[in-house]
Amino acid sequence: MEKKASFSSMAMAMMLCFIVYLVFATTCCSADAKSSFDDNFSIMWSENHFKTSEDGQTWFLSLDNDTGCGFQTKQKYRFGWFSMKLKLVGGDSAGVVTAYYMCTEDGAGPTRDELDFEFLGNRSGEPYLIQTNVYKNGTGNREMRHKLWFDPTLDYHTYSILWNSHQIVFFVDRVPVRVYKNADYENDFFPNQKPMYLFSSIWNADDWATRGGLEKTDWKKAPFVSSYKDFTVDGCQWKDPYPDCVSTTTRHWWDQYEAWHLTKDQKLDFAWVQRNLVIYDYCKDTKRFPKLPEECSLSPWD
């Protein structure tokens, strides 16, 4: 009886330790979708253009002829899964850009790394375009543009980034719309060394955003409002000098073999996107790039 009681106590103690470990791991690496804005973010500029819902779970950024607004995470990360639900500006949104992106710094620094979702507004009745871009050490020019298969102004949709040392995948409602692969050698095109914050902002870009700048922002329609909710992160939170999770340890799902490549079902979805939704791909723009960039030789299917 004494041995049995001792064994039961030991099992209970081990279980409690395991529960404590899980709580700690979740706290240090995740952001709860139900946490408040202040738990995860700071306003970058124009706090008077930012509002929250009564329960604090939905956030609104507005743009007028004076200024836009933006926010960023308080923590920075290197690798993981980053996701947010957005509802974009409705009606005539020509010239307006809603950006949702990751960057190593606050500002367009000359050596920044960056992963971009940019939602390009349009005239009433015309579809939104989504532009993605990748920067390494201040060099971008890796744009892709897609149509969406839904109206992003009517409801919230989920926009996500998977980032590990093997690939970066941009998702819309869990559908992969862009795959950006790393090479098996040191290179100047895949950002994998610097931790990044996550940002979102709304701003005027009528010099280029809609039909190359031909369509200007109609300020009579202001304010333009985009809204956000359900921010989630399952990633490696940065701690100086560096955290253990930055190396490939396969402890986290986003750093395991299955996340290094598209799954079978994801490949089917990605093929459909490639056939039906791609508007522009810099890797096919031989007029702009007579010699295509090095990363264009890497297959997203591998």
Side-chain angles (χ1 to χ4, degrees), residues 84-157:
M84 182 103 75
K85 289 184 179 179
L86 281 72
K87 184 162 68 171
L88 302 181
V89 176
D92 187 341
S93 58
V96 177
V97 170
T98 300
Y100 168 59
Y101 62 103
M102 300 185 69
C103 190
T104 53
E105 56 192 86
D106 178 4
T111 61
R112 75 190 187 279
D113 291 353
E114 186 171 326
L115 310 176
D116 289 344
F117 270 117
E118 292 179 318
F119 306 92
L120 311 182
N122 221 326
R123 290 292 177 219
S124 298
E126 296 296 322
Y128 259 85
L129 295 183
I130 180 173
Q131 176 170 287
T132 56
N133 204 349
V134 176
Y135 285 75
K136 169 115 184 234
N137 290 328
T139 300
N141 298 322
R142 300 182 176 100
E143 300 92 346
M144 287 192 70
R145 289 188 178 186
H146 294 77
K147 296 182 294 184
L148 293 169
W149 58 96
F150 53 83
D151 185 340
T153 71
L154 297 180
D155 203 352
Y156 289 90
H157 292 269

Side-chain angles (χ1 to χ4, degrees), residues 183-255:
D184 57 2
Y185 54 85
E186 189 173 343
N187 58 73
D188 292 324
F189 58 80
F190 192 92
N192 61 351
Q193 297 298 320
K194 305 173 187 176
M196 301 192 202
Y197 297 96
L198 190 139
F199 299 81
S200 196
S201 59
I202 185 170
W203 48 289
N204 179 46
D206 65 3
D207 57 333
W208 65 270
T210 307
R211 294 184 59 216
L214 295 178
E215 301 284 357
K216 300 300 182 182
T217 304
D218 184 355
W219 294 111
K220 296 191 298 292
K221 303 291 198 309
F224 304 99
V225 179
S226 56
S227 54
Y228 310 78
K229 65 179 182 178
D230 294 353
F231 169 65
T232 55
V233 167
D234 186 354
C236 178
Q237 190 175 118
W238 188 261
K239 296 178 182 178
D240 291 326
Y242 56 86
D244 293 339
C245 52
V246 298
S247 59
T248 300
T249 63
T250 69
R251 283 191 340 204
H252 308 281
W253 72 266
W254 40 262
D255 197 25

